Amino acid sequence: MQRLDAGLRHRVRFLLNGRAVEGDAEPRMLASDFLRQVLGATGTHVGCEHGVCGACTIRIDGKAQRTCLTFAVQLDDCRLETIEGLTDDKGDLNDLQTAFRRLHALQCGFCTPGILMSLDQLLEEEPEADEVRIRDVLSGHICRCTGYQGMVDATLEVMAARRNAAGGEE
Amino acid sequence: MKPAAFDYVRPDSVDEALEVLAASGDEARVLAGGQSLTAMLNMRLANPSVLIDIARIQDLKNISLVDGMIEVGAAVTQAALLAWPDLVKHQPLLAQILPNVGHYQTRQRGTVCGSLAHAEPSAELPLALATLQGEVVVQGKRGRRVLSAADFQTGMMTTDVAADEMITACRFPVADAQSRSLFHEVSQRHGDFALVALAAVSTAQGVRLGVGGVAEIPRIVDLPLLQGEAVEATLNDLAWELDGVDDPHASARYRRELVRRIGKKIINEVSHATS
Ligand code: FES
Ligand code: FES
């Protein structure tokens, strides 16, 4: 059994976008703050800090989740994917990010990293998802700028393109 | 919006968790998915000095069939139950309700038992437990108790679980193959708190109706098979009896109207499917 004292900082270790990382956190430190303030991974945004807006969403062990409702100490030995992991080594945007840009699925971009991480899971697990399902996933996010239509269009377009690419390779 | 300081304990077994609970008195809270509790901590609506994280306890991660009940361990997420291959066959009402619990993102961490423990008046899972007449298994160092849904939730955000006890599982009866069930809720945005949520299950005598979101706890009524105006009259009485109040999201009058209209729709559909 592990017992971490309230007033002390404790070593936390996990995989971030395929790389082993570690840092120290008090038990009360939110995962979102740990990513941003301890690891300097500021691509994950923080909006409401009580689980409503979805800005802080990342993938933990593959599943899109809110980091403001998770403590850093709960991340021990987990596998995390954040927006920083979507681009390739050269920093080029992936297909979904490119489609977002072209189809105006973002304006200010504050909500975007969280939304991309939710859709990243959806694209991987449900490549045949329809518009209703995409909107269901998007309902866990708040975007103050766009009205969501561009995000739906971008997701559908990427799904079709990935299917074509997969079909073409056979 | 940062929580106050707390000791964080990660026990490896239920027994260890119960030891810590017994030693901490009412200073401790059990943390599973944290999709309600962590928000409460962030807003400082809860200030425990010890958090006991049970999310990694293997024994609490099972979904199994026990004596005609679907038993769901306290660390089973809402998404895991929704993905359970036998869910539609064994309990179609739960399969209808779960996609309305929170959002895609919160269901992947939030647990079924955690939502019951939170006992929010408009939450769907307490409504499901009450309508289906399920049970909650609680354990403490003093022993184990099995609570009926009616005994479990005692009021708005309060349950019968004592400070030195924790929920280890909840149980939903396997649906009778003949029985039909329906769920319908109205919220401002899909995934938001329900303004009104209704569930109906056909029974041997008629229909059992559950209403969430209006009174402090889910309200369950067993109705005989009713036709036409009798349905409307019964629902009108029920809508007034629930004694809903005006809040920033909806007026009491609007909620009464939702109970009357949606109630009628689902009662009719469930009873027609049976006859
Ligand atoms: S910052 Fe986490 S949901 Fe808003
Ligand atoms: S692009 Fe501005 S909030 Fe979504």
Side-chain angles (χ1 to χ4, degrees):
Chain A
M1 172 162 53
Q2 232 176 333
R3 184 170 193 124
L4 308 180
D5 200 273
L8 302 176
R9 295 203 289 165
H10 308 272
R11 187 47 51 114
V12 179
R13 297 184 176 83
F14 52 84
L15 275 185
L16 179 61
N17 299 317
R19 208 164 43 88
V21 295
E22 57 182 51
D24 296 331
E26 284 177 31
R28 73 188 192 112
M29 181 175 245
L30 297 173
S32 43
D33 288 336
F34 187 81
L35 286 170
R36 294 177 54 86
Q37 295 164 17
V38 178
L39 299 179
T42 53
T44 299
H45 293 170
V46 171
C48 65
E49 284 190 328
H50 61 279
V52 175
C53 72
C56 65
T57 304
I58 69 167
R59 293 180 70 177
I60 303 177
D61 292 333
K63 304 295 181 193
Q65 298 175 18
R66 297 169 165 8
T67 47
C68 72
L69 295 185
T70 305
F71 295 107
V73 291
Q74 292 179 284
L75 298 176
D76 258 331
D77 306 320
C78 291
R79 181 169 50 83
L80 274 60
E81 277 126 25
T82 63
I83 185 72
E84 286 91 346
L86 285 192
T87 48
D88 65 15
D89 293 343
K90 298 197 306 275
D92 287 342
L93 301 181
N94 81 354
D95 51 356
L96 184 63
Q97 290 171 302
T98 309
F100 258 55
R101 182 158 78 178
R102 206 182 59 257
L103 296 169
H104 305 288
L106 71 153
Q107 187 176 322
C108 78
F110 195 82
C111 67
T112 315
I115 290 176
L116 286 168
M117 297 319 290
S118 285
L119 293 174
D120 189 52
Q121 181 191 346
L122 184 73
L123 283 167
E124 186 182 307
E125 291 184 358
E126 299 171 45
E128 307 283 334
D130 61 5
E131 171 162 355
V132 172
R133 179 61 170 154
I134 295 169
R135 287 190 182 274
D136 175 42
V137 170
L138 287 174
S139 77
H141 294 273
I142 293 174
C143 175
R144 292 265 110 131
C145 304
T146 69
Y148 309 95
Q149 187 60 48
M151 302 176 201
V152 174
D153 294 343
T155 312
L156 287 169
E157 189 185 286
V158 169
M159 283 180 176
R162 287 193 189 180
R163 273 198 297 273
N164 279 338
E169 276 162 24
E170 275 165 17
Chain B
M1 305 283 281
K2 313 287 182 193
F6 52 80
D7 287 347
Y8 171 84
V9 187
R10 193 156 59 212
D12 299 312
S13 65
V14 172
D15 284 344
E16 283 184 0
L18 296 180
E19 287 290 337
V20 185
L21 263 179
S24 345
D26 52 10
E27 292 294 294
R29 289 293 294 265
V30 173
L31 173 71
Q35 301 303 284
S36 303
L37 180 57
T38 307
M40 304 255 296
L41 296 170
N42 288 359
M43 293 188 278
R44 303 213 178 183
L45 294 172
N47 288 302
S49 56
V50 183
L51 269 195
I52 306 172
D53 184 355
I54 61 163
R56 296 190 189 201
I57 298 179
Q58 277 306 328
D59 287 350
L60 298 178
K61 289 193 181 176
N62 301 322
I63 304 171
S64 50
L65 286 175
V66 183
D67 300 332
M69 300 276 235
I70 304 165
E71 183 168 299
V72 183
V76 173
T77 63
Q78 295 145 11
L81 182 58
L82 189 53
W84 188 51
D86 295 335
L87 188 67
V88 176
K89 180 174 80 188
H90 287 324
Q91 194 31 270
L93 185 65
L94 262 185
Q96 288 178 61
I97 284 180
L98 277 166
N100 296 281
V101 177
H103 298 283
Y104 178 72
Q105 299 80 2
T106 57
R107 286 194 295 273
Q108 306 201 100
R109 194 170 188 96
T111 61
V112 177
C113 290
S115 173
L116 298 177
H118 190 55
E120 155 71 40
S122 61
E124 293 85 359
L125 284 166
L127 174 66
L129 188 86
T131 310
L132 294 171
Q133 300 185 323
E135 296 171 347
V136 178
V137 185
V138 301
Q139 232 170 290
K141 279 200 75 176
R142 293 174 294 157
R144 182 166 170 277
R145 301 190 292 148
V146 179
L147 301 171
S148 69
D151 290 338
F152 170 73
Q153 190 168 346
T154 50
M156 188 199 304
M157 303 180 85
T158 47
T159 68
D160 194 48
V161 182
D164 62 347
E165 289 178 318
M166 62 179 267
I167 298 175
T168 53
C170 60
R171 297 171 178 166
F172 298 91
V174 170
D176 175 340
Q178 316 308 321
S179 125
R180 296 280 176 278
S181 54
L182 263 183
F183 171 78
H184 194 101
E185 76 172 23
V186 175
S187 56
Q188 287 184 332
R189 206 171 50 125
H190 176 66
D192 281 359
F193 287 124
L195 300 177
V196 168
L198 288 108
V201 190
S202 66
T203 59
Q205 294 76 34
V207 176
R208 187 178 317 123
L209 183 71
V211 187
V214 188
E216 298 201 335
I217 61 175
R219 176 63 184 278
I220 309 303
V221 283
D222 272 302
L223 305 171
L225 267 190
L226 299 169
Q227 302 271 316
E229 283 173 14
V231 180
E232 283 167 33
T234 306
L235 283 168
N236 186 48
D237 291 346
L238 176 65
W240 281 100
E241 226 176 86
L242 286 167
D243 218 8
V245 290
D246 293 327
D247 70 20
H249 307 292
S251 64
R253 185 175 169 199
Y254 180 54
R255 286 196 163 93
R256 283 195 296 274
E257 191 61 13
L258 290 177
V259 170
R260 287 189 284 252
R261 295 214 185 174
I262 303 169
K264 185 174 161 194
K265 179 168 164 283
I266 66 173
I267 287 178
N268 282 336
E269 282 178 37
V270 165
S271 1
H272 286 149
T274 335
S275 53

